Amino acid sequence: MPVYLTFDIGTTALKSALIDADGRMVAVHSVEYTPSTPQPGWAEMDPQAYWQAAAEGTRAVLAEAGEAGSDLAAIGFSSQGESFIPVNGAGEPLHDAIVWVDKRSQSVADQWEAEWLSREEYRRICGYPWIPAELTAFKIGWLAEHVPKAHKAAKFLWLPDYLIYLLTGEVATDYNIAQMGGLYDIRTRAWSPRVLDAAGIAPEQLPAVHLPGTAVGRVQTDAAKKLGIAVGTPVCVGANDQLAGAIGAGNVRPGLVTETTGTALAVVATTASLLDDDRMFVGIHAAPGLYYAMPYGNTSAIVLKWFRDLVEPAADYDDFLAGVGQIPPGCDGLAVLPHFAGTGCPTFNPEARGAIVGLTLGHTREHIARAIMEACACMLQELLDPILAHDIEVSNIRSLGGAARSDPWLQMKADLLGVPVERPACTDAASLGAAMFAATGIGQFDSIADAADAWYRADRVVEPNADRFEAYREVYARYLDLYERLYS
């Protein structure tokens, strides 16, 4: 049976996976790497590290699955956004990859905002409700002053684009990755002349932009030998990992929401129109004719990890959380603000910090753990509120990430939100989404939506408990009031 090869390019690891023509995971392999920090706040990576990881991962999953490289139907991508590599006309890097977490271009972002770029204009161009210095646009501006040779690059390639080039010799990206870099106008669906002019580059220095799930080339001889796959294997563009994960979780209809409770809390809500709202990031969905909203919080489940590491660092999470189900909603008056690194949407307050309020001598470790979990559920509601304000009915929430393994946490979310919350059967939704892009690109499916409908499977659906909904309304009101009292 033909299989799809996918690459999920993360910040600290590249995950290769094989997914069969029924949408089932056959094999997966991760290769870790660590960005260098030549100066405080900087983050760079040798471009070869990504290519080596892709080659190692490909050979590993083929060996694990007992598959021949000639059986590959196509290759698809999921990737971090913003990280990029300037290359010359021969595709050779002129600078190490500048990773998205790199902070070097803050002064450029500040200067643009002071001189010509308002937050409202930038939101209209590329969907960001603020001006994040981490974006590619500002880092290209930084190169103009500090590394002019790299600024004169023949092409600026995002990470999936770079691998696509090495695989096929073609220069291509998708419109979601293009938008994440802060250079693409989501309303005109073209590179923004204003932003490119400020960055000092021409459209010819950027890749051609395609719909996610478009076949853009075929694997060439040298790449085929390195990866152990067949010459001519089709290669398809994908999307940013958050959107790819949403696709992999079947989030291709208005009213569906995916959420990932991890280090941060990221929400993807599919919408029928492009929402006009300065409280969240919005963009063009990978499923044609649809859009998405992606509000996020800076810190969520990492706060529970922080607490576990303080109290019992060697504990398995199932054991550590064993008693939280015995604690009533509201934790006997205990409340937590999980904003340990400031807030994201909808308040964008970098000065906010975490808080544990209402402690008494009667509170236990289980109380605090549950209060943190409830706070993350409250944050999810807070991120959804601006979407609901547009008269969008959320019918179903699909939970991704490590926190989705916790049944009590899923129940808390369902009870607080008042809608079913489900855990997908495939825990690696981004890789599955990348395979959906590849399968659509070669015609197994007519559309991304068809692929998602065919391949998405739920592991468990948690229905809300109506008796606890009112109790959680009080928990949520207390959460909002606590933030207002501390930071208004």
Side-chain angles (χ1 to χ4, degrees), residues 157-205:
L157 302 178
W158 287 280
L159 298 185
D161 314 344
Y162 181 66
L163 293 188
I164 288 170
Y165 178 79
L166 293 179
L167 287 166
T168 69
E170 301 294 335
V171 178
T173 195
D174 66 90
Y175 57 60
N176 179 243
I177 289 290
Q179 177 192 2
M180 301 298 287
L183 296 148
Y184 189 74
D185 190 318
I186 58 174
R187 287 173 171 80
T188 65
R189 304 202 180 193
W191 300 115
S192 166
R194 289 265 283 168
V195 179
L196 265 62
D197 184 61
I201 61 172
E204 292 74 26
Q205 291 176 272

mmCIF file of all heavy atoms in Angstrom, residues 157-205:
data_model
loop_
_atom_site.group_PDB
_atom_site.id
_atom_site.type_symbol
_atom_site.label_atom_id
_atom_site.label_comp_id
_atom_site.label_asym_id
_atom_site.label_seq_id
_atom_site.Cartn_x
_atom_site.Cartn_y
_atom_site.Cartn_z
ATOM 1 N N LEU A 157 14.119 31.795 2.172
ATOM 2 C CA LEU A 157 13.322 30.571 2.231
ATOM 3 C C LEU A 157 12.974 30.241 3.677
ATOM 4 O O LEU A 157 13.859 30.231 4.542
ATOM 5 C CB LEU A 157 14.095 29.393 1.630
ATOM 6 C CG LEU A 157 14.557 29.548 0.171
ATOM 7 C CD1 LEU A 157 15.349 28.322 -0.252
ATOM 8 C CD2 LEU A 157 13.366 29.776 -0.757
ATOM 9 N N TRP A 158 11.691 29.976 3.941
ATOM 10 C CA TRP A 158 11.317 29.435 5.237
ATOM 11 C C TRP A 158 11.715 27.962 5.281
ATOM 12 O O TRP A 158 12.074 27.374 4.251
ATOM 13 C CB TRP A 158 9.831 29.645 5.467
ATOM 14 C CG TRP A 158 9.538 31.096 5.754
ATOM 15 C CD1 TRP A 158 9.695 31.744 6.948
ATOM 16 C CD2 TRP A 158 9.081 32.091 4.822
ATOM 17 N NE1 TRP A 158 9.364 33.082 6.810
ATOM 18 C CE2 TRP A 158 8.979 33.323 5.530
ATOM 19 C CE3 TRP A 158 8.739 32.069 3.466
ATOM 20 C CZ2 TRP A 158 8.552 34.501 4.924
ATOM 21 C CZ3 TRP A 158 8.320 33.241 2.858
ATOM 22 C CH2 TRP A 158 8.227 34.440 3.587
ATOM 23 N N LEU A 159 11.699 27.357 6.450
ATOM 24 C CA LEU A 159 12.283 26.020 6.599
ATOM 25 C C LEU A 159 11.675 24.967 5.673
ATOM 26 O O LEU A 159 12.417 24.209 5.039
ATOM 27 C CB LEU A 159 12.205 25.567 8.058
ATOM 28 C CG LEU A 159 12.990 26.448 9.050
ATOM 29 C CD1 LEU A 159 12.947 25.830 10.438
ATOM 30 C CD2 LEU A 159 14.433 26.651 8.601
ATOM 31 N N PRO A 160 10.350 24.866 5.549
ATOM 32 C CA PRO A 160 9.842 23.877 4.588
ATOM 33 C C PRO A 160 10.245 24.202 3.157
ATOM 34 O O PRO A 160 10.510 23.293 2.366
ATOM 35 C CB PRO A 160 8.320 23.936 4.784
ATOM 36 C CG PRO A 160 8.054 25.219 5.468
ATOM 37 C CD PRO A 160 9.262 25.526 6.292
ATOM 38 N N ASP A 161 10.326 25.512 2.841
ATOM 39 C CA ASP A 161 10.737 25.910 1.486
ATOM 40 C C ASP A 161 12.166 25.434 1.191
ATOM 41 O O ASP A 161 12.476 25.013 0.076
ATOM 42 C CB ASP A 161 10.699 27.432 1.328
ATOM 43 C CG ASP A 161 9.436 28.062 1.877
ATOM 44 O OD1 ASP A 161 8.466 27.333 2.109
ATOM 45 O OD2 ASP A 161 9.433 29.288 2.064
ATOM 46 N N TYR A 162 13.023 25.530 2.224
ATOM 47 C CA TYR A 162 14.419 25.121 2.053
ATOM 48 C C TYR A 162 14.499 23.619 1.768
ATOM 49 O O TYR A 162 15.218 23.182 0.856
ATOM 50 C CB TYR A 162 15.213 25.482 3.307
ATOM 51 C CG TYR A 162 16.676 25.129 3.242
ATOM 52 C CD1 TYR A 162 17.534 25.769 2.343
ATOM 53 C CD2 TYR A 162 17.207 24.161 4.090
ATOM 54 C CE1 TYR A 162 18.888 25.441 2.289
ATOM 55 C CE2 TYR A 162 18.545 23.834 4.050
ATOM 56 C CZ TYR A 162 19.385 24.475 3.141
ATOM 57 O OH TYR A 162 20.724 24.150 3.095
ATOM 58 N N LEU A 163 13.743 22.820 2.530
ATOM 59 C CA LEU A 163 13.752 21.381 2.277
ATOM 60 C C LEU A 163 13.126 21.050 0.932
ATOM 61 O O LEU A 163 13.597 20.153 0.225
ATOM 62 C CB LEU A 163 13.025 20.649 3.399
ATOM 63 C CG LEU A 163 13.690 20.686 4.782
ATOM 64 C CD1 LEU A 163 12.964 19.748 5.745
ATOM 65 C CD2 LEU A 163 15.167 20.328 4.714
ATOM 66 N N ILE A 164 12.072 21.768 0.572
ATOM 67 C CA ILE A 164 11.468 21.558 -0.750
ATOM 68 C C ILE A 164 12.482 21.853 -1.850
ATOM 69 O O ILE A 164 12.574 21.118 -2.850
ATOM 70 C CB ILE A 164 10.207 22.432 -0.902
ATOM 71 C CG1 ILE A 164 9.075 21.875 -0.031
ATOM 72 C CG2 ILE A 164 9.757 22.502 -2.371
ATOM 73 C CD1 ILE A 164 7.877 22.788 0.084
ATOM 74 N N TYR A 165 13.263 22.924 -1.676
ATOM 75 C CA TYR A 165 14.283 23.258 -2.676
ATOM 76 C C TYR A 165 15.329 22.146 -2.772
ATOM 77 O O TYR A 165 15.722 21.730 -3.877
ATOM 78 C CB TYR A 165 14.954 24.583 -2.333
ATOM 79 C CG TYR A 165 16.051 24.938 -3.305
ATOM 80 C CD1 TYR A 165 15.761 25.488 -4.545
ATOM 81 C CD2 TYR A 165 17.384 24.678 -2.987
ATOM 82 C CE1 TYR A 165 16.768 25.778 -5.454
ATOM 83 C CE2 TYR A 165 18.397 24.965 -3.894
ATOM 84 C CZ TYR A 165 18.088 25.523 -5.121
ATOM 85 O OH TYR A 165 19.085 25.803 -6.022
ATOM 86 N N LEU A 166 15.804 21.644 -1.623
ATOM 87 C CA LEU A 166 16.812 20.592 -1.649
ATOM 88 C C LEU A 166 16.256 19.300 -2.233
ATOM 89 O O LEU A 166 16.975 18.533 -2.874
ATOM 90 C CB LEU A 166 17.338 20.343 -0.235
ATOM 91 C CG LEU A 166 18.140 21.495 0.390
ATOM 92 C CD1 LEU A 166 18.574 21.127 1.803
ATOM 93 C CD2 LEU A 166 19.363 21.845 -0.456
ATOM 94 N N LEU A 167 14.977 19.064 -2.040
ATOM 95 C CA LEU A 167 14.358 17.855 -2.588
ATOM 96 C C LEU A 167 14.096 17.962 -4.084
ATOM 97 O O LEU A 167 14.311 16.998 -4.829
ATOM 98 C CB LEU A 167 13.032 17.588 -1.871
ATOM 99 C CG LEU A 167 13.101 17.059 -0.431
ATOM 100 C CD1 LEU A 167 11.739 17.186 0.231
ATOM 101 C CD2 LEU A 167 13.584 15.620 -0.401
ATOM 102 N N THR A 168 13.646 19.128 -4.535
ATOM 103 C CA THR A 168 13.106 19.241 -5.900
ATOM 104 C C THR A 168 13.813 20.252 -6.795
ATOM 105 O O THR A 168 13.624 20.220 -8.016
ATOM 106 C CB THR A 168 11.623 19.652 -5.838
ATOM 107 O OG1 THR A 168 11.531 21.008 -5.369
ATOM 108 C CG2 THR A 168 10.833 18.737 -4.921
ATOM 109 N N GLY A 169 14.529 21.199 -6.196
ATOM 110 C CA GLY A 169 15.094 22.298 -6.976
ATOM 111 C C GLY A 169 14.100 23.419 -7.228
ATOM 112 O O GLY A 169 14.435 24.424 -7.870
ATOM 113 N N GLU A 170 12.867 23.278 -6.722
ATOM 114 C CA GLU A 170 11.833 24.294 -6.910
ATOM 115 C C GLU A 170 11.799 25.244 -5.715
ATOM 116 O O GLU A 170 12.124 24.857 -4.583
ATOM 117 C CB GLU A 170 10.453 23.642 -7.071
ATOM 118 C CG GLU A 170 10.346 22.683 -8.235
ATOM 119 C CD GLU A 170 10.478 23.370 -9.586
ATOM 120 O OE1 GLU A 170 10.185 24.584 -9.669
ATOM 121 O OE2 GLU A 170 10.866 22.697 -10.561
ATOM 122 N N VAL A 171 11.414 26.494 -5.988
ATOM 123 C CA VAL A 171 11.301 27.503 -4.933
ATOM 124 C C VAL A 171 9.818 27.786 -4.713
ATOM 125 O O VAL A 171 9.160 28.393 -5.559
ATOM 126 C CB VAL A 171 12.047 28.798 -5.316
ATOM 127 C CG1 VAL A 171 11.882 29.852 -4.228
ATOM 128 C CG2 VAL A 171 13.528 28.493 -5.541
ATOM 129 N N ALA A 172 9.293 27.305 -3.593
ATOM 130 C CA ALA A 172 7.848 27.386 -3.362
ATOM 131 C C ALA A 172 7.554 27.463 -1.876
ATOM 132 O O ALA A 172 8.284 26.911 -1.050
ATOM 133 C CB ALA A 172 7.150 26.164 -3.961
ATOM 134 N N THR A 173 6.454 28.139 -1.541
ATOM 135 C CA THR A 173 5.953 28.164 -0.175
ATOM 136 C C THR A 173 4.438 28.071 -0.228
ATOM 137 O O THR A 173 3.837 27.987 -1.305
ATOM 138 C CB THR A 173 6.421 29.433 0.566
ATOM 139 O OG1 THR A 173 6.205 29.259 1.973
ATOM 140 C CG2 THR A 173 5.691 30.683 0.090
ATOM 141 N N ASP A 174 3.809 28.061 0.938
ATOM 142 C CA ASP A 174 2.349 28.085 1.011
ATOM 143 C C ASP A 174 1.919 29.400 1.640
ATOM 144 O O ASP A 174 2.700 30.060 2.312
ATOM 145 C CB ASP A 174 1.827 26.906 1.834
ATOM 146 C CG ASP A 174 2.241 27.003 3.300
ATOM 147 O OD1 ASP A 174 1.494 27.601 4.093
ATOM 148 O OD2 ASP A 174 3.325 26.482 3.638
ATOM 149 N N TYR A 175 0.654 29.789 1.455
ATOM 150 C CA TYR A 175 0.252 31.111 1.908
ATOM 151 C C TYR A 175 0.149 31.222 3.425
ATOM 152 O O TYR A 175 0.225 32.313 3.978
ATOM 153 C CB TYR A 175 -1.025 31.598 1.231
ATOM 154 C CG TYR A 175 -2.270 30.760 1.345
ATOM 155 C CD1 TYR A 175 -2.856 30.456 2.563
ATOM 156 C CD2 TYR A 175 -2.897 30.302 0.186
ATOM 157 C CE1 TYR A 175 -4.016 29.717 2.639
ATOM 158 C CE2 TYR A 175 -4.076 29.565 0.256
ATOM 159 C CZ TYR A 175 -4.634 29.273 1.493
ATOM 160 O OH TYR A 175 -5.787 28.535 1.565
ATOM 161 N N ASN A 176 0.036 30.099 4.125
ATOM 162 C CA ASN A 176 0.014 30.175 5.582
ATOM 163 C C ASN A 176 1.397 30.470 6.142
ATOM 164 O O ASN A 176 1.556 31.357 6.997
ATOM 165 C CB ASN A 176 -0.537 28.862 6.152
ATOM 166 C CG ASN A 176 -0.567 28.852 7.663
ATOM 167 O OD1 ASN A 176 0.109 28.051 8.287
ATOM 168 N ND2 ASN A 176 -1.338 29.743 8.265
ATOM 169 N N ILE A 177 2.414 29.772 5.674
ATOM 170 C CA ILE A 177 3.783 30.063 6.097
ATOM 171 C C ILE A 177 4.176 31.483 5.671
ATOM 172 O O ILE A 177 4.833 32.217 6.417
ATOM 173 C CB ILE A 177 4.763 29.029 5.510
ATOM 174 C CG1 ILE A 177 4.576 27.669 6.204
ATOM 175 C CG2 ILE A 177 6.209 29.496 5.643
ATOM 176 C CD1 ILE A 177 5.024 27.600 7.648
ATOM 177 N N ALA A 178 3.750 31.887 4.480
ATOM 178 C CA ALA A 178 4.047 33.243 4.012
ATOM 179 C C ALA A 178 3.453 34.285 4.953
ATOM 180 O O ALA A 178 4.107 35.278 5.311
ATOM 181 C CB ALA A 178 3.509 33.438 2.598
ATOM 182 N N GLN A 179 2.220 34.081 5.370
ATOM 183 C CA GLN A 179 1.581 35.018 6.292
ATOM 184 C C GLN A 179 2.302 35.068 7.631
ATOM 185 O O GLN A 179 2.495 36.145 8.205
ATOM 186 C CB GLN A 179 0.124 34.623 6.527
ATOM 187 C CG GLN A 179 -0.584 35.514 7.545
ATOM 188 C CD GLN A 179 -1.918 34.968 8.012
ATOM 189 O OE1 GLN A 179 -2.332 33.886 7.607
ATOM 190 N NE2 GLN A 179 -2.609 35.709 8.858
ATOM 191 N N MET A 180 2.721 33.903 8.143
ATOM 192 C CA MET A 180 3.371 33.861 9.450
ATOM 193 C C MET A 180 4.642 34.691 9.480
ATOM 194 O O MET A 180 5.042 35.183 10.525
ATOM 195 C CB MET A 180 3.688 32.414 9.841
ATOM 196 C CG MET A 180 2.489 31.485 9.928
ATOM 197 S SD MET A 180 1.255 31.941 11.157
ATOM 198 C CE MET A 180 2.088 31.511 12.668
ATOM 199 N N GLY A 181 5.283 34.863 8.324
ATOM 200 C CA GLY A 181 6.509 35.653 8.269
ATOM 201 C C GLY A 181 6.290 37.150 8.330
ATOM 202 O O GLY A 181 7.248 37.911 8.457
ATOM 203 N N GLY A 182 5.041 37.593 8.196
ATOM 204 C CA GLY A 182 4.748 39.012 8.328
ATOM 205 C C GLY A 182 4.975 39.835 7.082
ATOM 206 O O GLY A 182 5.031 41.067 7.153
ATOM 207 N N LEU A 183 5.059 39.191 5.911
ATOM 208 C CA LEU A 183 5.309 39.889 4.650
ATOM 209 C C LEU A 183 4.156 39.765 3.657
ATOM 210 O O LEU A 183 4.152 40.430 2.633
ATOM 211 C CB LEU A 183 6.575 39.318 3.985
ATOM 212 C CG LEU A 183 7.890 39.511 4.725
ATOM 213 C CD1 LEU A 183 8.827 38.342 4.459
ATOM 214 C CD2 LEU A 183 8.557 40.811 4.307
ATOM 215 N N TYR A 184 3.181 38.929 3.980
ATOM 216 C CA TYR A 184 2.133 38.556 3.028
ATOM 217 C C TYR A 184 0.821 39.227 3.402
ATOM 218 O O TYR A 184 0.390 39.185 4.559
ATOM 219 C CB TYR A 184 1.971 37.039 3.034
ATOM 220 C CG TYR A 184 1.083 36.472 1.962
ATOM 221 C CD1 TYR A 184 1.505 36.409 0.643
ATOM 222 C CD2 TYR A 184 -0.171 35.956 2.269
ATOM 223 C CE1 TYR A 184 0.700 35.858 -0.347
ATOM 224 C CE2 TYR A 184 -0.982 35.397 1.292
ATOM 225 C CZ TYR A 184 -0.541 35.346 -0.023
ATOM 226 O OH TYR A 184 -1.339 34.791 -0.998
ATOM 227 N N ASP A 185 0.183 39.848 2.416
ATOM 228 C CA ASP A 185 -1.082 40.542 2.633
ATOM 229 C C ASP A 185 -2.221 39.538 2.449
ATOM 230 O O ASP A 185 -2.456 39.045 1.342
ATOM 231 C CB ASP A 185 -1.215 41.704 1.640
ATOM 232 C CG ASP A 185 -2.376 42.620 1.964
ATOM 233 O OD1 ASP A 185 -3.455 42.103 2.318
ATOM 234 O OD2 ASP A 185 -2.216 43.851 1.847
ATOM 235 N N ILE A 186 -2.943 39.249 3.528
ATOM 236 C CA ILE A 186 -3.974 38.217 3.459
ATOM 237 C C ILE A 186 -5.233 38.696 2.746
ATOM 238 O O ILE A 186 -6.081 37.880 2.383
ATOM 239 C CB ILE A 186 -4.337 37.711 4.868
ATOM 240 C CG1 ILE A 186 -4.824 38.856 5.771
ATOM 241 C CG2 ILE A 186 -3.161 36.987 5.484
ATOM 242 C CD1 ILE A 186 -5.324 38.393 7.128
ATOM 243 N N ARG A 187 -5.347 40.006 2.533
ATOM 244 C CA ARG A 187 -6.528 40.513 1.832
ATOM 245 C C ARG A 187 -6.301 40.573 0.321
ATOM 246 O O ARG A 187 -7.182 40.254 -0.461
ATOM 247 C CB ARG A 187 -6.936 41.868 2.413
ATOM 248 C CG ARG A 187 -7.576 41.711 3.794
ATOM 249 C CD ARG A 187 -7.849 43.025 4.497
ATOM 250 N NE ARG A 187 -8.657 42.800 5.698
ATOM 251 C CZ ARG A 187 -8.180 42.365 6.860
ATOM 252 N NH1 ARG A 187 -6.889 42.097 6.980
ATOM 253 N NH2 ARG A 187 -8.983 42.179 7.904
ATOM 254 N N THR A 188 -5.106 40.967 -0.105
ATOM 255 C CA THR A 188 -4.811 40.973 -1.534
ATOM 256 C C THR A 188 -4.245 39.626 -2.000
ATOM 257 O O THR A 188 -4.158 39.372 -3.194
ATOM 258 C CB THR A 188 -3.793 42.070 -1.874
ATOM 259 O OG1 THR A 188 -2.534 41.766 -1.229
ATOM 260 C CG2 THR A 188 -4.288 43.431 -1.407
ATOM 261 N N ARG A 189 -3.817 38.798 -1.035
ATOM 262 C CA ARG A 189 -3.185 37.505 -1.311
ATOM 263 C C ARG A 189 -1.969 37.672 -2.215
ATOM 264 O O ARG A 189 -1.808 36.998 -3.238
ATOM 265 C CB ARG A 189 -4.184 36.509 -1.885
ATOM 266 C CG ARG A 189 -5.384 36.321 -0.967
ATOM 267 C CD ARG A 189 -6.116 35.035 -1.166
ATOM 268 N NE ARG A 189 -7.245 34.948 -0.227
ATOM 269 C CZ ARG A 189 -7.944 33.835 0.014
ATOM 270 N NH1 ARG A 189 -7.630 32.721 -0.603
ATOM 271 N NH2 ARG A 189 -8.943 33.855 0.869
ATOM 272 N N ALA A 190 -1.124 38.593 -1.778
ATOM 273 C CA ALA A 190 0.134 38.870 -2.483
ATOM 274 C C ALA A 190 1.112 39.443 -1.465
ATOM 275 O O ALA A 190 0.729 39.855 -0.361
ATOM 276 C CB ALA A 190 -0.101 39.867 -3.624
ATOM 277 N N TRP A 191 2.397 39.463 -1.832
ATOM 278 C CA TRP A 191 3.389 40.085 -0.955
ATOM 279 C C TRP A 191 3.044 41.565 -0.780
ATOM 280 O O TRP A 191 2.661 42.240 -1.738
ATOM 281 C CB TRP A 191 4.788 39.931 -1.538
ATOM 282 C CG TRP A 191 5.212 38.504 -1.717
ATOM 283 C CD1 TRP A 191 5.466 37.856 -2.889
ATOM 284 C CD2 TRP A 191 5.415 37.540 -0.675
ATOM 285 N NE1 TRP A 191 5.817 36.552 -2.648
ATOM 286 C CE2 TRP A 191 5.804 36.327 -1.296
ATOM 287 C CE3 TRP A 191 5.323 37.581 0.721
ATOM 288 C CZ2 TRP A 191 6.081 35.169 -0.565
ATOM 289 C CZ3 TRP A 191 5.594 36.425 1.452
ATOM 290 C CH2 TRP A 191 5.974 35.247 0.807
ATOM 291 N N SER A 192 3.177 42.066 0.435
ATOM 292 C CA SER A 192 2.818 43.450 0.737
ATOM 293 C C SER A 192 3.899 44.408 0.239
ATOM 294 O O SER A 192 5.033 44.368 0.736
ATOM 295 C CB SER A 192 2.642 43.632 2.240
ATOM 296 O OG SER A 192 2.603 44.994 2.585
ATOM 297 N N PRO A 193 3.598 45.291 -0.712
ATOM 298 C CA PRO A 193 4.604 46.240 -1.182
ATOM 299 C C PRO A 193 5.140 47.126 -0.064
ATOM 300 O O PRO A 193 6.335 47.431 -0.026
ATOM 301 C CB PRO A 193 3.858 47.070 -2.235
ATOM 302 C CG PRO A 193 2.729 46.197 -2.678
ATOM 303 C CD PRO A 193 2.332 45.417 -1.469
ATOM 304 N N ARG A 194 4.287 47.532 0.875
ATOM 305 C CA ARG A 194 4.713 48.397 1.977
ATOM 306 C C ARG A 194 5.740 47.699 2.867
ATOM 307 O O ARG A 194 6.774 48.281 3.217
ATOM 308 C CB ARG A 194 3.499 48.795 2.815
ATOM 309 C CG ARG A 194 2.564 49.771 2.128
ATOM 310 C CD ARG A 194 2.879 51.208 2.522
ATOM 311 N NE ARG A 194 2.383 51.520 3.861
ATOM 312 C CZ ARG A 194 2.722 52.621 4.522
ATOM 313 N NH1 ARG A 194 3.568 53.473 3.997
ATOM 314 N NH2 ARG A 194 2.220 52.860 5.726
ATOM 315 N N VAL A 195 5.471 46.468 3.210
ATOM 316 C CA VAL A 195 6.380 45.757 4.107
ATOM 317 C C VAL A 195 7.667 45.394 3.379
ATOM 318 O O VAL A 195 8.770 45.537 3.934
ATOM 319 C CB VAL A 195 5.696 44.501 4.685
ATOM 320 C CG1 VAL A 195 6.661 43.746 5.590
ATOM 321 C CG2 VAL A 195 4.434 44.882 5.470
ATOM 322 N N LEU A 196 7.562 44.942 2.126
ATOM 323 C CA LEU A 196 8.773 44.605 1.378
ATOM 324 C C LEU A 196 9.652 45.826 1.180
ATOM 325 O O LEU A 196 10.891 45.741 1.285
ATOM 326 C CB LEU A 196 8.409 43.993 0.024
ATOM 327 C CG LEU A 196 8.375 42.462 -0.032
ATOM 328 C CD1 LEU A 196 7.318 41.902 0.908
ATOM 329 C CD2 LEU A 196 8.140 41.973 -1.450
ATOM 330 N N ASP A 197 9.037 46.965 0.904
ATOM 331 C CA ASP A 197 9.813 48.185 0.725
ATOM 332 C C ASP A 197 10.543 48.556 2.007
ATOM 333 O O ASP A 197 11.713 48.942 1.974
ATOM 334 C CB ASP A 197 8.880 49.323 0.289
ATOM 335 C CG ASP A 197 9.647 50.610 -0.001
ATOM 336 O OD1 ASP A 197 10.497 50.601 -0.914
ATOM 337 O OD2 ASP A 197 9.412 51.613 0.704
ATOM 338 N N ALA A 198 9.865 48.431 3.150
ATOM 339 C CA ALA A 198 10.517 48.743 4.424
ATOM 340 C C ALA A 198 11.664 47.788 4.718
ATOM 341 O O ALA A 198 12.707 48.179 5.268
ATOM 342 C CB ALA A 198 9.494 48.698 5.549
ATOM 343 N N ALA A 199 11.495 46.515 4.334
ATOM 344 C CA ALA A 199 12.543 45.524 4.557
ATOM 345 C C ALA A 199 13.670 45.632 3.540
ATOM 346 O O ALA A 199 14.731 45.023 3.714
ATOM 347 C CB ALA A 199 11.949 44.122 4.513
ATOM 348 N N GLY A 200 13.431 46.389 2.457
ATOM 349 C CA GLY A 200 14.467 46.610 1.457
ATOM 350 C C GLY A 200 14.657 45.466 0.494
ATOM 351 O O GLY A 200 15.757 45.265 -0.040
ATOM 352 N N ILE A 201 13.576 44.702 0.232
ATOM 353 C CA ILE A 201 13.699 43.571 -0.685
ATOM 354 C C ILE A 201 12.632 43.657 -1.774
ATOM 355 O O ILE A 201 11.680 44.433 -1.669
ATOM 356 C CB ILE A 201 13.594 42.219 0.047
ATOM 357 C CG1 ILE A 201 12.229 42.079 0.749
ATOM 358 C CG2 ILE A 201 14.735 42.060 1.036
ATOM 359 C CD1 ILE A 201 11.981 40.695 1.338
ATOM 360 N N ALA A 202 12.796 42.831 -2.803
ATOM 361 C CA ALA A 202 11.866 42.783 -3.926
ATOM 362 C C ALA A 202 11.075 41.474 -3.886
ATOM 363 O O ALA A 202 11.539 40.480 -3.318
ATOM 364 C CB ALA A 202 12.627 42.873 -5.243
ATOM 365 N N PRO A 203 9.896 41.435 -4.516
ATOM 366 C CA PRO A 203 9.113 40.191 -4.538
ATOM 367 C C PRO A 203 9.879 39.012 -5.125
ATOM 368 O O PRO A 203 9.638 37.861 -4.726
ATOM 369 C CB PRO A 203 7.902 40.552 -5.406
ATOM 370 C CG PRO A 203 7.783 42.034 -5.309
ATOM 371 C CD PRO A 203 9.187 42.541 -5.175
ATOM 372 N N GLU A 204 10.803 39.303 -6.043
ATOM 373 C CA GLU A 204 11.572 38.231 -6.687
ATOM 374 C C GLU A 204 12.474 37.494 -5.701
ATOM 375 O O GLU A 204 12.967 36.398 -6.007
ATOM 376 C CB GLU A 204 12.410 38.797 -7.825
ATOM 377 C CG GLU A 204 11.608 39.309 -9.015
ATOM 378 C CD GLU A 204 10.907 40.637 -8.725
ATOM 379 O OE1 GLU A 204 11.405 41.388 -7.851
ATOM 380 O OE2 GLU A 204 9.865 40.914 -9.353
ATOM 381 N N GLN A 205 12.709 38.092 -4.530
ATOM 382 C CA GLN A 205 13.549 37.430 -3.525
ATOM 383 C C GLN A 205 12.761 36.464 -2.643
ATOM 384 O O GLN A 205 13.330 35.842 -1.744
ATOM 385 C CB GLN A 205 14.242 38.476 -2.645
ATOM 386 C CG GLN A 205 15.310 39.295 -3.366
ATOM 387 C CD GLN A 205 15.886 40.384 -2.486
ATOM 388 O OE1 GLN A 205 15.352 41.497 -2.429
ATOM 389 N NE2 GLN A 205 16.969 40.071 -1.785
#
